[in-house]
């Protein structure tokens, strides 16, 4: 009878451990959308102050005119480029998430998100800018140039979708969903 109780207790403990670990997830890849304006959310728990989440950002390819592609018109241009993102970092204060910082990631292949407080839960919103906003910004800042701007204002879109991935997290662990 004692061995059955021990086995039952062991099964309960293993089940609880598996359930707890299922909330925590490993590194993940996030894919943008055709026109941008998409938010991804990353939830983490820090174990020490100054925890970090490295991001690796892959270029997508922008086509400058969906209409030109449809009608096989001359002047449609494709260009590989990085998407632009707005990052909002919020910390759980016991009853709600409070915004700690807000900034942009622009024209970068890597970036590191820094989380200041130890033993805290964070919500990180990563918003992909609209493709037209990103393309206009790249053109205005001289990052890319086109010989024909006739189709630039029509309907640019991501032909090859941009992506970013989280790397090895330092002093924090990622949840698969909002823990609150």
């Amino acid at each position: 009878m004692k061995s059955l109780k021990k086995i039952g207790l062991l099964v309960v403990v293993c089940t609880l451990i598996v359930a707890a670990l299922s909330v925590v997830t490993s590194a993940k890849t996030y894919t943008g959308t055709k026109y941008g304006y998409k938010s991804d959310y990353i939830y983490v728990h820090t174990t020490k102050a100054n925890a970090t989440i490295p991001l690796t950002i892959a270029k997508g390819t922008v086509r400058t005119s969906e209409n030109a592609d449809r009608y096989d018109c001359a002047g449609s241009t494709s260009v590989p480029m990085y998407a632009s993102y707005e990052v909002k970092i919020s910390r759980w204060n016991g009853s709600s998430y409070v915004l700690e910082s807000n900034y942009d990631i622009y024209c970068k292949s890597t970036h590191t998100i820094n989380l200041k407080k130890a033993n805290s839960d964070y919500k990180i919103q990563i918003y992909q800018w609209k493709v037209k906003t990103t393309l206009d910004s790249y053109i205005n800042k001289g990052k890319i140039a086109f010989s024909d701007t006739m189709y630039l204002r029509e309907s640019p879109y991501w032909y090859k979708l941009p992506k970013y991935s989280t790397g090895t997290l330092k002093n924090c662990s990622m949840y698969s969903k909002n823990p609150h």
Side-chain angles (χ1 to χ4, degrees), residues 64-135:
T64 58
S65 176
E66 196 165 25
N67 291 335
D69 290 342
R70 255 189 232 128
Y71 300 111
D72 201 25
C73 297
S76 177
T77 305
S78 295
V79 63
M81 56 189 262
Y82 294 107
S84 297
Y85 302 95
E86 178 181 10
V87 178
K88 290 183 179 182
I89 300 172
S90 301
R91 187 173 49 84
W92 182 255
N93 70 359
S95 60
S96 64
Y97 285 102
V98 177
L99 185 66
E100 279 192 350
S101 62
N102 184 11
Y103 59 88
D104 294 327
I105 302 172
Y106 180 81
C107 197
K108 288 187 174 181
S109 62
T110 61
H111 177 75
T112 301
I113 295 172
N114 296 297
L115 307 171
K116 298 174 187 174
K117 299 273 185 179
N119 298 315
S120 296
D121 287 335
Y122 282 89
K123 173 177 79 171
I124 302 152
Q125 177 185 5
I126 301 179
Y127 169 77
Q128 178 192 355
W129 291 12
K130 292 180 181 180
V131 68
K132 184 171 179 351
T133 304
T134 300
L135 181 61

Side-chain angles (χ1 to χ4, degrees), residues 35-70:
Y35 298 107
Y37 52 91
K38 174 193 179 221
S39 287
D40 294 308
Y41 294 89
I42 300 171
Y43 297 94
V44 298
H45 178 78
T46 59
T47 54
K48 293 184 180 178
N50 300 314
T52 59
I53 302 170
L55 300 179
T56 302
I57 302 166
K59 286 183 178 181
T61 301
V62 171
R63 286 221 172 137
T64 58
S65 176
E66 196 165 25
N67 291 335
D69 290 342
R70 255 189 232 128

Side-chain angles (χ1 to χ4, degrees), residues 20-33:
L21 291 176
S22 69
V23 176
V24 178
T25 187
S26 60
K28 188 173 177 185
T29 298
Y30 300 84
T31 303
T33 61

